[in-house]
Amino acid sequence: MEVRARAPGKIILVGEHAVVHGSAAVAAAIDLYTTSSLSLLHEGEDGGAGAVELDLRDSALVFSWPCSSLRRALGEVSGKAGAPTPCSPDELAAIAKLMEGQEIPEAKIWLSAGLSAFLYLYTSILGCRPGKVVVTSDLPIGAGLGSSAAFCVSMSGALLTAAGTVGVGGGSGVEEWELFGKDDLELVNQWAFQGEKIIHGKPSGIDNSVSTFGSMIKFKKGELTNLKSRNPVKMLITDTRVGRNTKALVAGVSERASRHPDAMASVFHAVNSISEELSSIVELAAEDEIAITSKEDKLAELMEMNQGLLQCMGVSHSSIETVLQTTLKYSLVSKLTGAGGGGCVLTLIPTPSLT
Ligand SMILES: Nc1ncnc2c1ncn2[C@@H]1O[C@H](COP(=O)(O)OP(=O)(O)O)[C@@H](O)[C@H]1O
Ligand SMILES: C[C@@](O)(CCOP(=O)(O)O)CC(=O)O
Ligand SMILES: [Mg+2]
C-alpha cells in the first residue's frame, strides 16, 4: 500500500520572530508543496531483515536504517496512534547516534535536522517496522518559505494515515486528493509541531499550523484565527539564494532579547500591533468596508514598519537590503519573510487602478 500526503509552504506577511515571543503574526499558505509517499513493507520483503528508508528525491540522497539498529537505539517502540509525546533528550541523543552512520555530504549537513525529525516521527507513529518514504518538494529549502513545516506536516499526514489513525474515508474528495477532517488535521498539526521543534529548536507553531490548515491565518500564542480574504493582494517572492538556518536566527533573536529585555519587549509589542492592524484590515476588506487601494497602501506601510523592526531584531541581511533598495526604485515596498538572514523577500504588487 502506498500513502501520499502533501502540504504547502507559506509566506509570513507580518510578525515573524516576534510570534515566537508571544506577538501575533499573519501568514498565508502558498501554492508550492512538499509531498511524502510512504510504502510499508513486511520484514523480509525487501530481501533483508527490514529497514526504514528515506529517499530525498530532490537532493538525490537515500538514507537507510536497519530495523534492528533502530530497535537497539530506541528500544521496542510500538508506535503511537494518539496525541504525540515530545521527543525526550534521551530519545534525541539516541536519534543523533543513529545519524552517525549516515553519509551526509558536508555541503548538505543541514539535512541532519530533517532526518532527525523524520526518524522521530516515523518511529513514534509506526514503531520500528520497515518502510520506504520518498519526499519531493517544490519549495526551496531553508529560504523562509516553511519547507521544514511542509516536510513535517506531509510526513505526519502520511504516517498517521498509514497507521490508520487519520483520513480513512473521513474526508471529501477534491481532484485526486482526500481532504482530512478538522480533528485529523489537529492531530497532524500536533505531530508536525513536534517535528518542527527538532528542526527549529523553539518554533512558534505558525508554520506548521498554516501548512496544515491552509488559507490565511492570524496566529498568536498557539491560537489560530482564520482570515477570510476577498480581493487577494499580489506578492512577488524574491529568493536571495543566501542560505540560512531558522534555528540559529531564532536563537540569535532570543539572545538579543535577553541582553536588552525592555527594548526588545517594546519591539515585540510594536510587531503585535502591526499584525493586529493588518489582520483587521484584511477582515474589513473581506466585508467590503475598505477600498482595495486604501487597503494596499495600509498593508504596504505596515510591511515597511515590520521590516524596520526585523532590522532591530538583527535578522536582515545585505542581500535583503539590496532587494529592498531595488524595489524602492519602483516605489514598491518589500520585507523579508520567514527567519531572514538571507532567504526570501516579499514585495507587495499593487492592483493597477482602473481610472
Ligand atoms: N524536503 C526536505 N527534505 C529533507 N529535509 C528537509 C526538507 N525540507 C526541509 N527540510 C529540513 O528543514 C530545514 C530547513 O528548515 P528551516 O531552516 O526552518 O527553513 P525553511 O523552513 O524556511 O525552509 C532543512 O535544513 C532540513 O533539515
Ligand atoms: C522566524 C519564525 O517566526 C518563522 C520561521 O520560518 P522559516 O522556517 O524561516 O520558514 C520562527 C517561528 O515562528 O517558529
Ligand atoms: Mg522552517
Side-chain angles (χ1 to χ4, degrees):
M1 180 189 63
E2 191 194 40
V3 176
R4 264 194 312 152
R6 67 172 196 174
K10 58 91 231 259
I11 51 171
I12 297 184
L13 281 94
V14 285
E16 51 274 271
H17 287 290
V19 67
V20 176
H21 300 268
S23 304
V26 178
I30 57 173
D31 213 9
L32 296 174
Y33 294 87
T34 294
T35 304
S36 297
S37 308
L38 163 70
S39 310
L40 284 179
L41 304 169
H42 298 291
E43 298 232 355
E45 192 179 307
D46 53 356
V52 171
E53 190 177 291
L54 178 64
D55 179 346
L56 301 179
R57 258 320 133 79
D58 308 306
S59 316
L61 291 170
V62 181
F63 301 93
S64 180
W65 295 268
C67 292
S68 52
S69 323
L70 293 176
R71 286 193 194 102
R72 247 195 325 276
L74 302 169
E76 266 308 330
V77 274
S78 53
K80 191 170 185 293
T85 20
C87 188
S88 70
D90 283 352
E91 225 178 323
L92 208 51
I95 289 175
K97 270 206 130 5
L98 285 163
M99 263 341 114
E100 282 169 13
Q102 301 298 319
E103 286 181 15
I104 309 176
E106 196 51 43
K108 296 202 168 170
I109 201 67
W110 39 266
L111 277 177
S112 66
L115 298 188
S116 301
F118 164 73
L119 275 187
Y120 158 77
L121 291 171
Y122 189 102
T123 55
S124 304
I125 295 172
L126 292 177
C128 298
R129 57 194 281 194
K132 285 186 182 180
V133 185
V134 179
V135 177
T136 55
S137 186
D138 310 325
L139 289 158
I141 295 182
L145 298 185
S147 78
S148 60
F151 178 76
C152 293
V153 173
S154 67
M155 191 64 72
S156 302
L159 294 167
L160 289 165
T161 304
T165 317
V166 302
V168 192
S172 58
V174 170
E175 294 171 8
E176 80 267 38
W177 294 97
E178 181 104 352
L179 290 180
F180 288 163
K182 192 166 181 302
D183 290 348
D184 288 353
L185 288 176
E186 288 289 356
L187 192 63
V188 168
N189 194 34
Q190 286 175 22
W191 279 99
F193 181 57
Q194 297 304 326
E196 272 278 84
K197 280 212 259 185
I198 295 174
I199 300 175
H200 277 194
K202 194 189 164 199
S204 63
I206 189 171
D207 287 6
N208 50 281
S209 298
V210 74
S211 179
T212 304
F213 295 99
S215 179
M216 189 188 285
I217 62 165
K218 180 176 88 171
F219 185 92
K220 183 173 178 165
K221 293 186 181 149
E223 289 287 315
L224 179 155
T225 313
N226 242 300
L227 297 178
K228 285 179 237 53
S229 96
R230 276 207 321 191
N231 306 323
V233 286
K234 274 200 181 136
M235 293 281 174
L236 172 73
I237 302 175
T238 306
D239 188 348
T240 62
R241 309 291 291 251
V242 172
R244 85 302 170 280
N245 170 294
T246 299
K247 188 175 185 175
L249 286 149
V250 168
V253 173
S254 292
E255 281 158 24
R256 187 171 281 207
S258 56
R259 284 195 299 276
H260 311 285
D262 289 349
M264 288 293 278
S266 303
V267 170
F268 297 145
H269 181 73
V271 174
N272 184 62
S273 305
I274 287 172
S275 299
E276 292 291 355
E277 194 179 332
L278 187 136
S279 46
S280 58
I281 289 168
V282 170
E283 290 196 307
L284 282 177
E287 289 161 18
D288 261 349
E289 287 186 18
I290 180 169
I292 185 83
T293 45
S294 133
K295 169 175 121 174
E296 284 173 357
D297 288 349
K298 287 185 174 162
L299 291 187
E301 199 165 16
L302 290 167
M303 283 171 62
E304 195 174 32
M305 287 157 69
N306 192 180
Q307 173 62 29
L309 293 165
L310 285 159
Q311 279 154 357
C312 288
M313 294 180 214
V315 295
S316 196
H317 184 268
S318 55
S319 61
I320 295 172
E321 302 297 326
T322 303
V323 178
L324 297 188
Q325 280 156 22
T326 307
T327 58
L328 196 59
K329 283 190 202 151
Y330 302 91
S331 306
L332 296 173
V333 165
S334 304
K335 76 170 266 293
L336 67 83
T337 189
C344 289
V345 180
L346 292 182
T347 303
L348 179 67
I349 307 294
T351 309
S353 122
L354 294 174
T355 53

